[in-house]
Amino acid sequence: MQSSALLFCNKQLVPAQLDKDIQCSIEEQTKKIVSNLGLDNCLVHVEYKIKDGVPKFLEINPRIAGGLIPELFKIALGIDLV
């Protein structure tokens, strides 16, 4: 379920407003990383930094994102991560 609402809290924008090519690159990289690590039965928190239009992988953790991220997903996308 997607919502047209954008929520901004503490430098977090949900859903992210990314160029389609950047978004596809992040999705492809993340799928490969998740597969290689065998993290196919859990939530993962993944971080990238975009530099010069290129997403650079920073880290992945087999856990729900911290802070208000779960609440932002619930309100903006209708997805309850908890």
Side-chain angles (χ1 to χ4, degrees), residues 8-13:
F8 181 78
C9 181
N10 192 26
K11 300 182 184 177
Q12 305 294 328
L13 183 64

Side-chain angles (χ1 to χ4, degrees), residues 3-70:
S3 170
S4 60
L6 290 176
L7 294 176
F8 181 78
C9 181
N10 192 26
K11 300 182 184 177
Q12 305 294 328
L13 183 64
V14 177
Q17 301 299 294
L18 299 173
D19 175 82
K20 188 69 172 170
D21 291 337
I22 293 173
Q23 182 177 342
C24 288
S25 176
I26 289 172
E27 288 175 10
E28 289 174 16
Q29 289 181 54
T30 302
K31 286 177 184 177
K32 287 179 187 175
I33 294 165
V34 166
S35 176
N36 289 338
L37 293 174
L39 299 173
D40 55 359
N41 195 24
C42 64
L43 290 171
V44 293
H45 172 79
V46 185
E47 293 187 14
Y48 286 85
K49 180 171 234 166
I50 300 170
K51 183 172 182 172
D52 300 324
V54 178
K56 304 290 185 180
F57 172 75
L58 297 177
E59 67 176 311
I60 187 169
N61 294 287
R63 62 172 175 79
I64 295 174
L68 294 174
I69 300 298

